[in-house]
Amino acid sequence: DARVTQTPRHKVTEMGQEVTMRCQPILGHNTVFWYRQTMMQGLELLAYFRNRAPLDDSGMPKDRFSAEMPDATLATLKIQPSEPRDSAVYFCASGFNQPQHFGDGTRLSIL
Amino acid sequence: ELKVEQNPLFLSMQEGKNYTIYCNYSTTSDRLYWYRQDPGKSLESLFVLLSNGAVKQEGRLMASLDTKARLSTLHITAAVHDLSATYFCAVDSDSNYQLIWGAGTKLIIKP
């Protein structure tokens, strides 16, 4: 079965460090989403792309987060500098219309 | 603003019992999705409901959609422990490709 692939699966780093998360969407999917999930806030949409163009990143803290899609097989989410409140599970999802298919997530811990 | 409300948010039940999770939404969307998330895992698409009156069934789970009432239900029949998970409903946000998510219903089924 085709799957959304996210790397790394786990990341532990110190406050102030740069964090880069990567996502390989399912081949043929033209929409890619980045979500963040925490116990307190639940599932939050951070940003998404359609045909590699960013459509909405209003859910992201602009001063420290950035999302890009350099080609159709790679989406990235960067945090610089990272803060403890960024600790969460970050999911990438892709789709061609709906439903969205989710990757296994990156579990991020900022110390 | 489009809102999606699930209830209950938490449900503890005995094996063998029946129960229903409700998903209300505030727009005229006629496309609704149910997802399942096991603890520490990703979100998995369960049902795609694309029109008024749509009903889908998989094993002990049955989902239905009433677009006039803006209501979807996820019915669990003769619950078994393996169905313990968090269930999310999500609704298409009209034309901008993203889904609007409910807060999730955490279901615990006790032997």
Side-chain angles (χ1 to χ4, degrees):
Chain A
D1 283 343
R3 299 185 60 180
V4 175
T5 302
Q6 289 187 246
T7 56
R9 291 292 311 280
H10 302 273
K11 176 76 174 179
V12 180
T13 192
E14 292 186 344
M15 184 172 103
Q17 297 298 305
E18 178 177 301
V19 175
T20 298
M21 291 169 273
R22 294 178 173 81
C23 168
Q24 180 176 0
I26 292 173
L27 186 64
H29 283 188
N30 62 351
T31 313
V32 176
F33 303 82
W34 282 106
Y35 291 92
R36 176 171 63 186
Q37 187 176 42
T38 61
M39 290 293 293
M40 293 300 294
Q41 299 297 326
L43 192 65
E44 302 173 277
L45 177 65
L46 297 176
Y48 68 103
F49 298 79
R50 177 94 168 172
N51 296 322
R52 294 179 54 204
L55 286 193
D56 188 348
D57 62 1
S58 59
M60 273 191 339
K62 300 289 193 305
D63 55 338
R64 298 184 300 107
F65 283 60
S66 63
E68 296 180 345
M69 198 161 177
D71 63 61
T73 64
L74 177 65
T76 62
L77 180 66
K78 291 186 181 180
I79 309 173
Q80 170 62 24
S82 59
E83 297 181 1
R85 59 181 166 150
D86 302 328
S87 298
V89 180
Y90 291 81
F91 287 107
C92 174
S94 73
F96 185 83
N97 298 319
Q98 303 291 357
Q100 299 173 17
H101 298 263
F102 282 73
D104 289 334
T106 294
R107 187 172 296 273
L108 178 64
S109 295
I110 308 296
L111 306 176
Chain B
E1 181 188 354
L2 173 55
K3 291 185 179 179
V4 178
E5 293 184 351
Q6 286 183 239
N7 70 83
L9 297 182
F10 180 80
L11 177 58
S12 179
M13 55 193 292
Q14 295 291 120
E15 277 193 328
K17 300 291 187 182
N18 303 333
Y19 210 80
T20 301
I21 299 170
Y22 297 89
C23 176
N24 291 271
Y25 56 96
S26 62
T27 186
T28 55
S29 176
D30 58 1
R31 296 188 296 273
L32 189 138
Y33 310 86
W34 284 97
Y35 285 78
R36 168 180 173 152
Q37 185 178 33
D38 292 309
K41 303 293 186 182
S42 184
L43 283 81
E44 174 189 359
S45 177
L46 282 177
F47 297 113
V48 177
L49 303 169
L50 298 178
S51 61
N52 186 42
V55 177
K56 295 281 182 75
Q57 184 162 5
E58 175 85 23
R60 300 173 187 272
L61 299 177
M62 184 174 71
S64 64
L65 178 62
D66 181 344
T67 59
K68 292 185 173 61
R70 300 181 187 177
L71 171 68
S72 179
T73 60
L74 181 65
H75 187 72
I76 304 141
T77 301
V80 293
H81 179 68
D82 286 353
L83 291 179
S84 297
T86 298
Y87 293 87
F88 291 90
C89 65
V91 175
D92 262 334
S93 63
D94 295 329
S95 61
N96 60 355
Y97 312 116
Q98 65 173 297
L99 295 179
I100 308 301
W101 294 82
T105 296
K106 185 171 183 177
L107 175 64
I108 296 176
I109 300 170
K110 300 177 181 177

